Structures are given as C-alpha cells and as structure tokens.
Amino acid sequence: MKALVTALAARFRPRRNRAPGTRVVLGRVPAEPAPYVRRGPLLAKIDEAFGEGGFCVLLGPCGAGKTHLAAAYARAAASTVVWVADPAYIVLSYAELARRVGVADCVVDAEAAARTGLAWLDAADRPVVVVDGATDPDALNQWLPARARVLITTSVPAFEILGGTVVVSGFGEAEAAGFLGVRSGRDDDALGLARELGCLPLALAQAGGVLKRRGTGFASYVESLPHASLSLPEREPGCVEDTVLEALRLVVARDGRARGVAEFLALLAPGVRRERVHRLGPDPVAVDAVLGALAEASLIGFDVRGETVTMHDLTRRALLSRVHAEDRLAAALDRACAVLDDWADATDPGLARHVSALWPHFRALLPAEAAPRLARIMRLRRRSVRALTAAGAFAQARALGREVVADHDAYLQPRHPGTERAARALRKACLASERGAEAVTLSERVLERRVRVLGPDAEATLDAVEALGIACEGAGLLDRALKVHETNLDHAARVLGPDHRITLRSRAGFGRALRSADLAGVAVPVFEENLREHVRVHGPEHPATIEARSDLARTYTRAGRSAEAITLHATDSPWLAVAYQEADRLDDAIRLLRRLVSQHEDLGAVRIRLFLARALLADGQSAEALELFARTVRDRTRLLGPDHTATLNARRNLGLAQGPAGRETLTAVAADYRRVLGTAHPYTRQAAKDLAELPEPGQRRRVRR
C-alpha cells in the first residue's frame, strides 16, 4: 500500500484549486455533426424540465438523436460540464474532476475523490452533468449530484422516476425530409425515403452521405440496401443496420482499410483515443484519412477536441452482427488485442473498459479459434485489474478481479501460471483497499500453488510466504504474521543462505511484525542484526542498508531509547522528530516538522501534519494541535475515504486530543473500527481501550500513534 500511495502521489502533482465558479469541461463531449439540425423545440423542453427540477431524462429509441441533443445542450452551457460517456465509470469521471479542479491533489481512492468532486459540483454555479446511455437507475442513483443539472440519455423508461422526461422519437416527417435533402444534396421525393428509414437521424445521415457520394436517386438507394436479415432489438422500418452496411460498403470501395478500422472501433468500448486508432497502421496520416471518410459517411464522430473517436451504439452493433455472421471475429479480435497489448500507461483505466468490451466477443469464438487466443485475452484482463487498482478504482478492481480469477479457474489448467497471476492482481487490489481478510485468502492460494508446483524450498515459494505474512499483518492477524515471518526467516536462512535477499527481507518483516505487536523491545535485537547483515552484504550506503538503519532507529524510539535513535537517523524525517519528542526536545521536533510540512505535498504533508499535531499537543499548544488533528481527518477523508484505516486512526487521534470532550468522537470511531476491521483487529481493541480509559475532566491524555 505504501508503494502504491507513493507512486500515485508522485504521478498526480497538485494543481491550483479552482473556485466552484470556474468553468470546467470534463469528458468527451461530441462535436457538432455536419449537417446538423438544432431541434430547438426539444432544447426548449430541456430548459423547461430544468426549470422545474434538477433532472431531465431524454428518453427514446436508439438512433433518435438523444446523444447529439444532449451534446448541443452541453456545448451551449456557460458553466461547468461533466460528460460521462460510460456510466459504469462515473466514479472515475468525478475523481478526475476533483483532481482537475484541485480539490483532490492526488487520486488514491477514486470513490473518496469522487465524493469530493460531487461536493465541488454542488457548490458550483449551475453545472451540467450528462450521463449518456444510462441503463441502471439504481447503480447511478448514488452518484447523482444534488444541485447540478443532470441530463440523462436512455432508452430505459425506469429513469422517468428521476424527474422531467423529454421524449425523443426522431425527426418529424418534414424535418426528416429537409435534413435528408441537405445531407444528400437532392430534393426529389426525400419524404418517401425518410419514411422508409423511420425518420431516424442516424439512418438519415448515413443514407444521405451515400446518396451525396453516389449522385443517385432515392429509389436507387433503396434498391441497393442489403436488407440485412440479422436482427437488432431496436430494428425499425428501414433498419439502421441496412444504412450502416451500405455506408461502410461505399467507404471500403474507396479504401479497403476502412473495414478493419470500423470493426476495431465497434469491438472496443465507447470512445477511443485517436492515438490508439493510429496503431492500426504504420502511417497515422493514412489512418486519419480513413477516419475522415468514416466520419463523412456518419459511421463515426469525434469529440469537440477531435481527440476521441466515437461510434453510435446502433452502428457498432450492426457492424458486429456482420462480423459475427461472416466469421471474421477472430481476425478483428486479433487487431484489437494487438493495439491493447501496446497500451503503455499501466494506470489508465481505459484499458479495462476496452478489454471488458472484448471479452463477450472472445467467448463467442468457436473453441478452435478461442484456444490460441486465450492466453492473450487473459493477460489483458489481468492487466485491467492492475490498471484499475493503480487508478484508485478499488471497488471496480476487486469486482473485476474476482471475475477474472473465476474465469482463469474455468478456462485454464490448474497449474497454469496465469491463474496465480490473476490471484496476485486481485490480492494487490485488496491490499490497496484494505480488504485484509480477502488478501490473506488470496495469499494462501498463491502459496499453495507454489508449494505444489515448485516445492517448499523454491525462492518463489519463500517469496509467497513473505507475502502471506505481510497480508496477515495488514489484516491485523499479528500472532499469525509473527509465526509466518519467523518460520520463513529460519527456512530462508537454511535453504538460501544468510546473504540472500529473501532472508534479509524476512528478517525485516519479522521485526516489523514485532513492532506492530507492541513488542519493540523484542524487535530491537532483530533490527540490530538486520542492520549488521545489510552492512555486511550491501555496504553502509546501499539503499537497503539505509532503510535497515531507519527501521532500527524507529524501533529504538518505540523501545524508549530515543538518544540512540537520534544518533542513528541519517536524514531529517518525521521519525527523527518523534525521537526528539521522546527525548523531551520538543522545540527541535516542532521546528523540524514545520520545515518538513513546507517541503512536502499531497499525502506526505497530511501525514507530517499529524506528527506536528502530536508534538504541539505535548508542548501544550493545544489550540493549534486540535486544528491540525481536525484538518488531518478532513484531508484523509478526502484523499482516502471515510473507512480507510488511516482516516479512522486520524479520527481516533482527534478524539484522544480532545480529552473528555472527545468521548463522542471516540465512541463513533470505535464503532467504525468494529464495522470496517472487525472486533479482533488490534486497532479495534485499542479504540475500545482508549474509550474505557478516557480521562476525567481536567486531565490530559497522551495521543497514541
């Protein structure tokens, strides 16, 4: 967890906090297509709906123009706009908003940052949140802002319960005929073809593009339609599937690469970065030419910045129906997987979106086609879990990780290394989100497989034992963690020798478990030996030796040997300040901590402020100390979420610092420890003890670490 937080804090540098009145545009707002019908009466109805409440639902069939109607409203908005193109990832959209406006300096827990983003929206000046293509009212409900204007596009009538509904049913006949005439450049019997196409804007746009390119009449166009026999749930008279296939046929006749590009976009999740599409061919200019031709045919669109390629859901489904029917799915999946294999940013959750879109199509392959592609798609799914974890989307990472582990069990042989990697990816998500019990179970699974496949003496097996010890410590199972680390230390020293990295790491792990169990006196000789061994093996200036020296210094402080700790600390750090404090050098501790706070950002500064608050309280500066304790609670809640162990610990520190007045705070946090960590966890037991030992009025209590 510490490594994850450090990496994320380094990646997300703080930005200047933007006031709620500042206009921000977040998300892939679609650009205005050409030609475009403004649909003024429907836009007026949206304004009317917002005049009566905070929600407006654009309800209608696919292809009726709901998305472009919402985009027109969003483009005209003078205030902040958040466009959510994939409702399943709305949490990450709000988390990015929080980071963009500077109210969450780094996104460690996406849900915590998303709540902060929602709070910022509620304070903003009439912002607009657009959720495009919503399907599940219950899942969306908890992430709807209270004061923003929320515009939802959907074909699900259940959304009507949220508020004002504007029915979008396509163009009127006169409007459709006029649009088709402008789009095609012809004016002969446009009404007849408009009726044939159900007056759906998407079908009309695609048909008009073909007519304009061919220069033929409407009757000739109808005769040329493929009249696809494949069905879609939203099939209308003059199915959109027909217009899609005819438009693609014309583009492919001019450039054969268009079919592969279109099918690639159809396979992936909505919204693909243009730079990703460029990886389909060696020449980005040529790929852009194909994209331009597809856009001209109304088969794709772009966002307002031209950076993201969009494809309507009906267009996507029509193309995929043909791909499946013509047995070209395997080749299309190979193209998509090749691009996703080259996805460089390991923290981009977009990878997970696209891989999840590919998975149902992979499962539709015949067994003979699926077998040689199985390892590749499974590798991409494991990478998706890791990407979500790195992005702080812990709930999604855990849900996907469990699904991926189950699929590895179902599709791969028990001894396949991928099954273990899937469990490790899920374990990392559990550790990052403090799901200790599940992390222990997964660590046991990895260890069992390594013992069975590699044997008990293999380096990888001993590595797995160490990982189990760390997971046990994180879950509060300190007795078991001590036993695991001590056994692994003896085993590693005997099998691998005293100089091996696993032996050295196991000794440090054993010492840290002792320290966590409040056995600092017992841990001192373990860390003294750890330092001697690191100096002998690596030399005095090696990074691992410096870490061993710091571990020993911290343990000296916990054991009441602060003078030795001060001598041993090589650099200024919060732990040196703690040693100063324990040695009654409070002025030195406070001076050092104030300097460190000014030098650090993000989570580092939050943590150091807690050290400073403790030192100030010990020095009798209770007013500033209480202010810092309260600020730490707010900051950790904002960055890590209300149920994170660090947040709960900060609340406990605040309650202790408040003395008798902190009884309500300590009672609440003790209940939250029980709910989140369970009754047996050391933190839960300590919180109960703190509450029982709360001093009487007039007494002061020392704050615990």
Side-chain angles (χ1 to χ4, degrees):
M1 179 62 185
K2 180 180 177 182
L4 176 66
V5 170
T6 302
L8 287 171
R11 181 172 183 262
F12 294 116
R13 296 267 62 88
R15 302 186 180 195
R16 189 173 62 173
N17 195 331
R18 298 192 188 185
T22 303
R23 185 174 190 265
V24 177
V25 177
L26 183 76
R28 303 181 295 268
V29 180
E32 181 178 300
Y36 174 66
V37 176
R38 186 173 181 274
R39 310 186 80 173
L42 288 176
L43 288 169
K45 287 184 178 181
I46 295 175
D47 281 327
E48 290 174 11
F50 283 136
E52 297 174 359
F55 295 94
C56 179
V57 178
L58 300 183
L59 178 64
C62 288
K66 301 184 299 295
T67 296
H68 278 301
L69 183 60
Y73 188 86
R75 289 192 298 266
S79 57
T80 287
V81 173
V82 178
W83 184 279
V84 182
D86 189 340
Y89 287 78
I90 190 171
V91 170
L92 287 168
S93 295
Y94 289 145
E96 173 60 20
L97 172 69
R99 188 185 70 84
R100 178 84 64 87
V101 300
V103 294
D105 294 338
C106 63
V107 177
V108 177
D109 185 320
E111 289 202 9
R115 293 187 196 97
T116 304
L118 275 176
W120 187 90
L121 277 173
D122 283 337
D125 182 18
R126 287 180 56 77
V128 176
V129 175
V130 181
V131 183
D132 190 29
T135 58
D136 187 346
D138 293 332
L140 189 61
N141 186 52
Q142 63 174 316
W143 294 108
L144 295 178
R147 294 184 175 86
R149 289 170 288 172
V150 180
L151 185 59
I152 297 172
T153 75
T154 184
S155 56
V156 180
F159 277 95
E160 291 180 287
I161 196 172
L162 291 178
T165 299
V166 175
V167 176
V168 183
S169 57
F171 291 148
E173 288 189 348
E175 193 176 33
F179 174 78
L180 184 57
V182 172
R183 176 79 169 114
S184 65
R186 305 182 62 84
D187 56 7
D188 54 318
D189 195 24
L191 181 58
L193 180 57
R195 288 172 175 165
E196 176 70 19
L197 298 179
C199 294
L200 289 178
L202 179 62
L204 294 168
Q206 292 168 347
V210 172
L211 288 164
K212 183 177 182 180
R213 174 64 60 177
R214 283 185 177 165
T216 56
F218 295 129
S220 175
Y221 174 79
V222 173
E223 292 175 0
S224 71
L225 288 177
H227 299 291
S229 60
L230 303 172
S231 63
L232 291 171
E234 291 82 6
R235 190 174 182 87
E236 300 281 347
C239 179
V240 172
E241 186 173 358
D242 293 338
T243 62
V244 167
L245 297 178
E246 185 64 10
L248 181 61
R249 186 168 66 181
L250 182 63
V251 178
V252 170
R254 292 155 49 199
D255 191 330
R257 294 169 295 188
R259 186 181 302 280
V261 173
E263 291 173 355
F264 167 78
L265 293 168
L267 279 170
L268 297 186
V272 183
R273 300 280 293 181
R274 187 196 289 258
E275 63 193 39
R276 305 290 183 195
V277 188
H278 286 166
R279 297 183 181 276
L280 285 172
D283 183 3
V285 175
V287 174
D288 272 337
V290 171
L291 292 175
L294 292 171
E296 184 182 1
S298 296
L299 291 167
I300 65 169
F302 298 96
D303 69 337
V304 291
R305 293 185 293 270
E307 298 172 351
T308 302
V309 186
T310 62
M311 178 178 281
H312 195 282
D313 187 52
L314 275 185
T315 301
R316 174 182 298 105
R317 293 164 64 186
L319 293 174
L320 290 176
S321 293
R322 185 56 59 184
V323 168
H324 281 259
E326 295 179 354
D327 294 327
R328 290 185 287 102
L329 180 59
L333 281 170
D334 287 342
R335 285 192 296 271
C337 287
V339 172
L340 297 182
D341 274 336
D342 198 31
W343 201 285
D345 189 352
T347 66
D348 185 353
L351 176 66
R353 292 177 55 247
H354 294 308
V355 174
S356 293
L358 292 184
W359 178 240
H361 300 294
F362 169 82
R363 296 180 64 182
L365 291 174
L366 296 173
E369 293 178 318
R373 296 171 173 85
L374 180 59
R376 188 180 209 177
I377 191 73
M378 289 298 196
R379 181 175 65 250
L380 286 170
R381 300 192 80 210
R382 295 192 299 270
R383 285 185 62 197
S384 298
V385 177
R386 293 194 292 269
L388 288 171
T389 301
F394 299 137
Q396 286 176 283
R398 292 194 307 271
L400 178 60
R402 293 175 191 128
E403 179 185 324
V404 170
V405 167
D407 288 336
H408 276 70
D409 288 337
Y411 283 88
L412 298 177
Q413 296 296 322
R415 298 174 70 91
H416 194 285
T419 58
E420 178 190 311
R421 294 182 186 123
R424 285 160 52 195
L426 176 56
R427 180 181 65 187
K428 186 173 183 179
C430 292
L431 287 172
S433 55
E434 307 228 316
R435 296 301 193 273
E438 188 172 358
V440 169
T441 300
L442 292 162
S443 298
E444 291 170 337
R445 172 176 174 153
V446 170
L447 176 58
E448 185 276 332
R449 180 190 177 277
R450 290 191 181 180
V451 170
R452 175 166 40 84
V453 175
L454 303 174
D457 295 341
E459 288 187 25
T461 302
L462 296 175
D463 256 336
V465 175
E466 183 191 3
L468 173 60
I470 293 171
C472 288
E473 186 177 351
L477 304 174
L478 297 181
D479 290 342
R480 187 179 179 192
L482 285 168
K483 183 176 180 180
V484 169
H485 281 303
E486 186 175 21
T487 301
N488 201 45
L489 172 58
D490 292 340
H491 195 175
R494 176 170 50 81
V495 174
L496 303 176
D499 297 353
H500 198 277
R501 60 177 179 83
I502 294 178
T503 305
L504 298 174
R505 283 212 316 255
S506 297
R507 182 177 290 107
F510 179 45
R512 288 169 189 148
L514 286 168
R515 194 169 62 202
S516 295
D518 282 335
L519 297 172
V522 182
V524 164
V526 175
F527 279 117
E528 288 175 335
E529 182 181 4
N530 186 52
L531 178 56
R532 287 195 300 270
E533 289 298 292
H534 274 83
V535 171
R536 181 180 63 81
V537 174
H538 297 304
E541 302 304 323
H542 191 275
T545 305
I546 294 172
E547 183 178 0
R549 188 176 292 114
S550 176
D551 265 328
L552 177 57
R554 288 175 58 186
T555 310
Y556 276 154
T557 301
R558 293 284 290 274
R561 298 165 62 173
S562 54
E564 293 169 273
I566 292 170
T567 302
L568 200 57
H569 275 293
T571 58
D572 289 346
S573 71
W575 299 111
L576 174 57
V578 172
Y580 282 147
Q581 183 176 334
E582 294 297 324
D584 291 326
R585 294 171 56 179
L586 285 170
D587 289 344
D588 290 333
I590 292 170
R591 207 165 24 245
L592 172 58
L593 289 169
R594 289 194 191 280
R595 185 168 72 251
L596 291 175
V597 166
S598 69
Q599 295 171 352
H600 286 74
E601 299 166 340
D602 303 333
L603 284 172
V606 173
R607 190 161 182 252
I608 297 168
R609 285 191 199 102
L610 189 59
F611 283 87
L612 177 58
R614 294 176 186 138
L616 289 168
L617 189 66
D619 196 42
Q621 302 182 50
S622 56
E624 185 179 359
L626 286 171
E627 181 183 345
L628 285 175
F629 279 124
R631 179 177 177 182
T632 302
V633 171
R634 292 194 300 271
D635 287 343
R636 285 189 171 175
T637 301
R638 174 172 57 86
L639 293 171
L640 302 173
D643 290 343
H644 194 281
T645 300
T647 305
L648 297 177
N649 290 346
R651 288 172 57 201
R652 180 166 63 94
N653 273 268
L654 174 60
L656 289 169
Q658 290 170 334
R663 182 173 297 277
E664 183 178 348
T665 300
L666 288 174
T667 300
V669 78
D672 287 338
Y673 274 124
R674 289 194 297 272
R675 175 178 57 83
V676 175
L677 300 176
T679 57
H681 196 283
Y683 288 163
T684 305
R685 295 199 299 267
Q686 183 61 56
K689 183 180 178 182
D690 289 339
L691 190 58
E693 297 176 352
L694 195 66
E696 297 299 324
Q699 296 179 334
R700 192 172 65 181
R701 174 79 175 274
R702 178 177 177 178
V703 179
R704 298 178 184 274
R705 278 187 283 277

